[in-house]
Amino acid sequence: MHNLTLALEGAWKVLLAGLILGAGLPALFAAGIRSLAYGADGPARRPAGTVAGYACFALVLAGVLLGITFIVASGFGKQLSFDGVVPVITDRK
């Protein structure tokens, strides 16, 4: 029974990561495009839509850069540590 609990615990973590990275980043990009369209809609410009769109793009860019950093760090035999607020590249133990 303990093995089943461990397997289900790992499965929900994989599912969550897949939703965030697999579907979450494209959905956030689409929300950014939609926000930019809302911000530049006709003669009545809405700066909140433009700011929200650029914020969405910044989050997508941060996710992509973090993924690339993880891949490159793994290739050099390092690991990406999330102990604090800012991710840090450390040596493998």
Side-chain angles (χ1 to χ4, degrees):
M1 190 62 162
H2 184 65
N3 289 338
L4 179 64
T5 305
L6 288 175
L8 290 177
E9 181 180 328
W12 79 263
K13 289 179 182 178
V14 170
L15 177 66
L16 182 65
L19 285 174
I20 291 172
L21 300 175
L25 289 179
L28 193 59
F29 183 80
I33 294 290
R34 184 82 171 198
S35 296
L36 281 182
Y38 177 76
D41 190 22
R45 300 194 51 87
R46 299 177 183 98
T50 304
V51 170
Y54 287 133
C56 289
F57 294 147
L59 288 173
V60 169
L61 183 64
V64 168
L65 290 177
L66 189 61
I68 291 172
T69 303
F70 178 77
I71 291 169
V72 170
S74 298
F76 284 118
K78 307 282 184 177
Q79 72 180 20
L80 196 59
S81 172
F82 295 96
D83 292 336
V85 176
V86 178
V88 178
I89 297 175
T90 59
D91 290 326
R92 287 190 190 254
K93 296 177 182 173

